[in-house]
Amino acid sequence: MRSTVLRKGHVSLERALSKLGMASRTQARAMILAGEVTVNGRIVRDPGMKVVPERAKITMGDVRARLAKPRTLLLHKPRGVVTTRSDEKGRPTVYSLLAQVEGHVIPVGRLDMATTGLLL
């Protein structure tokens, strides 16, 4: 009997694309299902395929995924701003405050709309 043991660092392909800042998981899933993503030169149509983002050669469309240098941003979140990428009610988001920042940004934690304070 053959068993598959996942080593530390294995994530689904859709999550890998999200972690690499290439797309949201929803966008990544759609592109994978459409056959627009390759892993190590082969088209992959399984969003759940396990990969190690730091080791696999992943291409989405014509763009090769590359791991960005880590950085830490400090933001004093004001009252009335939500900690989400987009808001169905049209409220301002922390991403609208970071519009000038290049690259993929992921907040650590969440602060509700009425809360002010430090957000990493």
Side-chain angles (χ1 to χ4, degrees):
M1 180 163 85
R2 183 177 169 189
S3 66
T4 303
V5 177
L6 295 179
R7 287 183 254 136
K8 186 177 179 181
H10 283 82
V11 296
S12 68
L13 180 56
E14 67 184 351
R15 180 150 189 249
L17 289 168
S18 175
K19 285 178 72 169
L20 292 167
M22 299 290 292
S24 70
R25 285 193 205 185
T26 303
Q27 293 167 332
R29 174 177 280 276
M31 292 189 77
I32 294 164
L33 293 172
E36 298 176 31
V37 177
T38 64
V39 177
N40 299 325
R42 296 182 62 190
I43 294 174
V44 175
R45 293 180 188 268
D46 176 8
M49 177 185 167
K50 299 298 183 189
V51 298
V52 178
E54 298 83 5
R55 294 191 185 141
K57 180 183 174 187
I58 302 171
T59 304
M60 190 166 81
D62 294 332
V63 179
R64 168 106 188 258
R66 301 207 185 275
L67 200 56
K69 291 181 183 179
R71 60 188 173 160
T72 303
L73 303 172
L74 305 174
L75 172 71
H76 185 270
K77 189 193 88 55
R79 183 179 311 269
V81 175
V82 292
T83 309
T84 186
R85 183 159 303 275
S86 62
D87 183 63
E88 69 281 350
K89 296 179 182 176
R91 298 174 292 194
T93 72
V94 292
Y95 289 94
S96 63
L97 300 175
L98 300 171
Q100 300 296 325
V101 177
E102 289 186 25
H104 189 64
V105 179
I106 303 169
V108 177
R110 288 174 106 57
L111 297 175
D112 66 29
M113 189 172 86
T115 302
T116 65
L118 179 64
L119 186 65
L120 300 177

